[in-house]
Amino acid sequence: MQERPIIKTAIPKRRYQAGRHTASLLGEIESGDGRSYRYICAFVAQGQAEPVLYVCAEPTPPAERADGAYRLRVVSEAMTETLDTDDGWGDLDRFAEQALKVGVQMLGLPESGIVRLL
């Protein structure tokens, strides 16, 4: 993954089990890739150490803020794409709900199988 977030430090906010993946939602992120992150939801396949998918809430650049304060971006082996821009992605609950929906859909996991662990 070329544009994979480089996380120096972060505070775990929530953790979920989604099928055979664990999703960790991180906040208060210090990155080493030059990007600012509000939240990152990282999906790790069972038995693996590295995430296979990241869903990120990033502050929107000032010139693009008319559409919203944060953009929702996904990073995987196959793609890096901004999906949406909205003020709501800065809210932990709204971001968590949407990040889980996106991750489940992209990884082909059963939506009914999401369990909050932390």
Side-chain angles (χ1 to χ4, degrees):
M1 268 184 259
Q2 293 180 349
E3 294 191 41
R4 169 179 76 82
I6 298 171
I7 302 165
K8 288 184 175 181
T9 62
I11 305 295
K13 299 292 185 180
R14 296 184 183 171
R15 179 173 239 147
Y16 302 88
Q17 186 70 40
R20 297 177 55 89
H21 290 74
T22 301
S24 297
L25 198 156
L26 307 172
E28 301 177 46
I29 301 157
E30 180 186 345
S31 77
D33 60 15
R35 288 186 180 270
S36 294
Y37 299 98
R38 172 74 173 182
Y39 301 115
I40 294 175
C41 187
F43 290 81
V44 179
Q46 187 175 358
Q48 301 296 313
E50 291 294 319
V52 295
L53 176 70
Y54 297 91
V55 182
C56 309
E58 304 172 357
T60 306
E64 300 171 27
R65 289 242 165 99
D67 294 332
Y70 295 93
R71 45 184 185 196
L72 191 72
R73 189 170 70 97
V74 294
V75 179
S76 72
E77 220 28 80
M79 66 180 275
T80 298
E81 187 174 325
T82 299
L83 300 180
D84 189 28
T85 304
D86 192 287
D87 292 340
W89 307 140
D91 176 76
L92 179 65
D93 292 328
R94 285 196 58 201
F95 173 76
E97 181 180 338
Q98 188 64 23
L100 290 169
K101 283 182 185 177
V102 168
V104 161
Q105 184 178 23
M106 291 188 72
L107 296 171
L109 305 172
E111 194 168 328
S112 61
I114 299 173
V115 177
R116 185 170 171 178
L117 304 173
L118 170 73

